[in-house]
Structures are given as structure tokens and as C-alpha cells.
Amino acid sequence: MPPTLIRIEGEGAFGEPVAVARPTSEQVARVRVAGDQPIPVGATGFWECTPGRFRRQVAEAEYSYFIAGRGSFTPDGGERIEFHAGDAIYFPANSQGEWDIVETVRKTYLIFG
């Protein structure tokens, strides 16, 4: 399999924003995706989310690199992890917890499925 280039060109590359499925705050975060591509180990693409709090829904392991924004993730039974643009987080499979997006986040992700 040859290398796969995933490029987003402008805001039009993203789909329409949709409300998160499991909000935990009055301000309901909205997400949108661009460049979502199946790859041999899972899926990859770009994800954007507006401010709000919600439960993580991805069951698979995931690596995320934050391009813009800031917030935190608090795993169930664990300590809060604050992040901002330039940080990366690895979520082991079945990681559950709460996102708290403070400033609109854009990240690239790799889901191992």
C-alpha cells in the first residue's frame, strides 16, 4: 500500500457541525470532521470541537495531536489532563471520561480499530 496524503484545504473540507451525543454541560459542544480515511490499522482524519463538556465515546485506542485550542480530559477514576495546541495524547482502548473543551479544539487523530 502506498502512503496516503490527507489534506484539508479550507473550512469547506469539514462536514457540517453536529452536537456531541453525550453532553454533560448546558453548552452543547459541536463537532465536525474532515479527511476521515480508513487505513490498515483503523481510521485517521481531522476533528474539531467547540466549547462544552461531554463523555468520550470512542472505544478503540486513539492517538491525538492538538493543532489548535485548549481543554482537558478527565478519565474515569483518574486525574485531569490539561492540553493545548502542540500537545498529543494517547488514549488506550476503552478509555472513558469527560472532555471539557474551553477553546475550540482542532486535532488530527489516529484510531486503532
Side-chain angles (χ1 to χ4, degrees):
M1 178 175 169
T4 301
L5 173 65
I6 302 164
R7 177 179 290 151
I8 57 170
E9 300 210 17
E11 294 299 308
F14 281 87
E16 289 298 315
V18 297
V20 294
R22 297 172 63 190
T24 59
S25 66
E26 284 189 35
Q27 182 176 2
V28 177
R30 298 178 62 80
V31 297
R32 60 186 191 154
V33 177
D36 187 57
Q37 297 286 316
I39 57 174
V41 296
T44 189
F46 297 88
W47 181 84
E48 185 177 88
C49 184
T50 62
R53 289 192 314 268
F54 56 96
R55 298 278 306 161
R56 183 172 193 267
Q57 300 176 57
V58 178
E60 297 86 5
E62 176 183 349
Y63 170 82
S64 296
Y65 175 77
F66 296 89
I67 300 165
R70 66 185 177 89
S72 66
F73 179 76
T74 305
D76 291 347
E79 293 187 29
R80 179 181 171 131
I81 302 166
E82 294 189 21
F83 60 83
H84 57 78
D87 289 341
I89 299 176
Y90 173 74
F91 297 92
N94 300 310
S95 295
Q96 295 297 312
E98 185 176 69
W99 287 97
D100 184 1
I101 306 300
V102 176
E103 179 183 302
T104 297
V105 164
R106 184 175 286 181
K107 70 176 184 172
T108 184
Y109 61 87
L110 174 58
I111 295 175
F112 302 92

